[in-house]
Amino acid sequence: MTIDISRIDTILDRHGKDQRGLIPSLLEIQNEYHYLSSDALQRVSEQMAIPIIQVYQVASFYKAFSLKPRGKQLITVCLGTACHVRGGDRLIDQVGRLLNIQAGETTKDMQFTLEAVNCLGCCALGPVMVLDGKYYGSMSASKVEKVLEKFMEQEVPANG
Amino acid sequence: MAKARSVEALALEKRRDEILAGQDAARVSIKVCGGTGCLALSSDEVAQAFEQELKAQGVDGSVELKTTGCPGFCEQGPLLTIYPRRIFYTRVKPKDVAEIVSKTIIQGEVVDRLLYKDPLTGEKIVYETEVPFYKKQKRILLKNSGLIDPRKIEDYIAADGYKALEKALFEMTPEQVIAEVNQSGLRGRGGAGFATGVKWELCRNAAGDPKYIVCNADEGDPGAFQDRGLIEGNPHSILEGMIIGAYAIGAHQGFIYIRNEYPLAVELIRLAVEQARHDCLLGENILGSGFSFDVVVQLGAGAFVCGEETALMASIEGRTGEPRARPPYPAESGLWGQPTNINNTKTWAWVPHIIQHGADWFAQMGTEKSKGTTIFSVVGKVENTGLVEVPMGISLRYLIEDIGGGVSNGKKLKAVQTGGPSGGCIPETLWHLPVDYDSLREAGSIMGSGGMIVMDESTCMVDIARYFLNFSKFESCGKCTACREGVQRMYEILDYITRGYGREGDIEVLKELGAAVKASSMCGLGQTAPNPVLTTIRYFRDEYEAHIKDKTCPAGVCKSLITFSIVAEKCPGCGLCARQCTEDAISGEKGQPYVIDEGKCIRCGVCREVCKFEAILVK
């Protein structure tokens, strides 16, 4: 994916050029492109006058950032304690099995990325899965296929 | 030292009076929960359906519709309360809305099937105030969650919002504010329980200018969502507390460090900051008092260790969130080397209440050393999951059985896990213990930020210990060797045990390693990471021994140690399990008992979930 330098610059302008603006800027770039490309990080380093090694240090430290391209849809399965005791592990295993990927990976067609998260704060509804921003509460391994199917059907026309 | 009220302060009072005068207590008001939990259950669609249906049935002019924050009873969501009678409906779907409008709103009758049924008595309950889950709580911080619209500053102002700020700015000196907080006995709600007033005083008296204050809303403990609930239900209460605190400490810049994983809470706190700025409650010359203070909302980027105050400050400064040694404490040298005061979200939210009602009022609640109420998230294998607020010092049993409604599915209760990855598992035999900072510590756990995860006989305690160590191993920043390597080794031993490779002596090694990691890590993460292991060994040693010696998992959780089979007498041969099995491990003929091929079975548990006859046996 090529990046639009002017869009990165707009983001950097908004958050200021001192070090405090680094994490907010990276978060916004991540939101925009779903990952942080080396070009983007290079631009951030130049514009903010922060050594590239420091930019990488921050980008690789925090879990919100991905240095690899991600799929169109992000599937997040919560593995917080409340979800764990209600079978969150079985849930993520099942999603992984159905999509043939493991947590942290993206399907070959770049459609889905599967991520585990340590708590989404909807503990009362566990186990919880989030598919492209929509929360699915009280999930179970046996319900996964239906949710994924429904989602793929909906997405086909939208993507032409 | 009362100063004359400024024009701006008088205008705020006038505005409050006007809002209150415009309110009609007898007016029907429908409150739909719009918190993250209920939203996950499509409460937004319920709210939309109401909007249309009120119009369609011609009552939209006389009835108020409000989307509120989280009232806490997430298990029963989407939640709906109809004021003024406070008729309480649970699990409301968009298709129920037309009937609610015609029957309840227009005719004043109750829709029976939407009422909450008390699992203990089987009785249906009409009014919110009568539901045991609410009746047995003491809701102060959460009082307005579920009542006001978190998007409207008017609602907060009408509910006496920013009254305490006015009192602090015009009737009290900063020293008097600190004295009041000190006298109240408020202790930090983030888990460590340090006296808030003392912390403020240290920061106020520290040399250096500017000074900063921080709200720690980086609620990373898995199983805890009090801060999220509070911010989504009543964001202005936190802001008001921060402004008062800044006035007391002498800070002019504050930060709210909030988790990126809470998108709704982020949106609402940002909105609250904008509104407060617009209404002269933040920024230059607040309410014309001469005091200036502003707030930046800073997002976390997904690192648990940033809940630790020195790591959090590093993150705000734009660096990796690695903790550093204390002293110097943040009060002397915090953000950019300046005096900084950091408090938890719930601590800040207490401040307006204490200033408005006085230290003595606050100190009446709770125990001798732990004052006030606190919020817990009661989750896991319990009937009524959600957010509850209770006075400090009530027993664990009251919290779990009386308010939580006991265990779900009639299983036997086993333990409660408190304090997240830093806490421990407290067995059912100790549930008479009062919930306060000191007794939980004695039991080997900590209060933490207030997550209570209830576990029943189907939870394996060795697996839970392994789960937490996996968490801490993943979240360790890697700075201290003891934490980075020790937690990793402890995890490996636990992983072996759960996979059937446990050896005699493993328990002793775990205890020894645990003691070493605790003693030689710099920050709270490493110092407490072994707690889940050490407490489960202390209270559930027999489960460890069953895994190590007998190679069995008594709870039926650890995949390598269990087998799935079908009980022929219970299986009517419906074939549902075979259709759902992704591995084609189940076969049989319709009407005859099915069988599982153990060689193909991956123990995913789908068959047990879908079986309506409880015919799947796990051993």
Side-chain angles (χ1 to χ4, degrees), chain B residues 461-501:
Chain B
M461 303 317 277
V462 186
D463 174 68
I464 282 295
R466 187 193 62 90
Y467 164 82
F468 277 115
L469 274 250
N470 186 36
F471 180 94
S472 299
K473 158 176 92 78
F474 189 66
E475 296 290 357
S476 169
C477 77
K479 188 168 180 170
C480 305
T481 316
C483 174
R484 184 182 69 238
E485 301 297 330
V487 171
Q488 171 74 28
R489 296 292 163 259
M490 289 177 78
Y491 169 77
E492 283 165 9
I493 294 171
L494 287 164
D495 191 47
Y496 281 156
I497 296 175
T498 56
R499 285 175 22 211
Y501 302 117

Side-chain angles (χ1 to χ4, degrees), chain A residues 19-20 23 57 61-64 79-81 84-86 90 93 97 118-121 123-125 135 140-142, chain B residues 37 40 74 222 225 228 259 301-302 315-319 321 380-381 385 463 467 471 474-475 559 602 604 609:
Chain A
Q19 180 119 14
R20 204 183 94 196
I23 294 173
Q57 194 185 14
F61 181 86
Y62 293 98
K63 278 196 301 294
L79 292 183
T81 322
H84 176 81
V85 301
R86 287 182 173 190
R90 292 203 298 275
D93 283 353
R97 210 159 28 240
N118 278 332
C119 188
L120 290 167
C123 313
L125 307 174
Y135 288 68
S140 64
S142 57
Chain B
C74 310
F225 58 103
R228 178 182 68 69
R259 288 184 88 203
S315 183
I316 290 181
E317 291 175 6
R319 297 182 285 114
K381 304 284 188 67
T385 57
D463 174 68
Y467 164 82
F471 180 94
F474 189 66
E475 296 290 357
K559 280 186 183 176
I602 54 166
C604 68
E609 273 173 25

Side-chain angles (χ1 to χ4, degrees), chain B residues 187-264:
Chain B
R187 292 170 71 175
R189 295 302 197 246
F194 194 80
T196 306
V198 174
K199 204 170 177 178
W200 286 15
E201 208 164 6
L202 285 172
C203 190
R204 178 170 179 85
N205 294 335
D209 197 57
K211 292 181 165 82
Y212 297 107
I213 65 163
V214 178
C215 170
N216 184 350
D218 189 48
E219 188 176 43
D221 274 9
F225 58 103
Q226 300 86 328
D227 295 355
R228 178 182 68 69
L230 200 53
I231 296 168
E232 286 177 7
N234 196 356
H236 281 286
S237 63
I238 297 143
L239 272 188
E240 186 177 2
M242 286 182 78
I243 307 166
I244 296 171
Y247 170 71
I249 290 164
H252 301 292
Q253 179 67 55
F255 294 89
I256 298 173
Y257 189 86
I258 182 169
R259 288 184 88 203
N260 188 33
E261 290 90 335
Y262 288 173
L264 181 62

Side-chain angles (χ1 to χ4, degrees), chain B residues 117-182:
Chain B
K117 195 168 147 191
D118 186 341
L120 290 177
T121 61
E123 193 192 337
K124 287 197 168 172
I125 298 169
V126 178
Y127 304 107
E128 187 188 28
T129 42
E130 298 296 315
V131 174
F133 178 80
Y134 288 118
K135 210 167 141 183
K136 294 179 175 171
Q137 294 188 44
K138 186 168 181 68
R139 291 166 71 94
I140 297 165
L141 291 184
L142 291 178
K143 185 179 159 238
N144 286 322
S145 295
L147 200 65
I148 64 174
D149 182 341
R151 287 187 162 79
K152 292 200 171 126
I153 191 172
E154 298 80 23
D155 281 21
Y156 182 66
I157 291 174
D160 286 345
Y162 291 110
K163 240 186 182 171
L165 174 65
E166 226 186 287
K167 182 175 172 185
L169 292 178
F170 294 97
E171 292 173 27
M172 298 167 87
T173 61
E175 289 81 2
Q176 283 172 322
V177 173
I178 292 181
E180 195 75 32
V181 174
N182 240 333

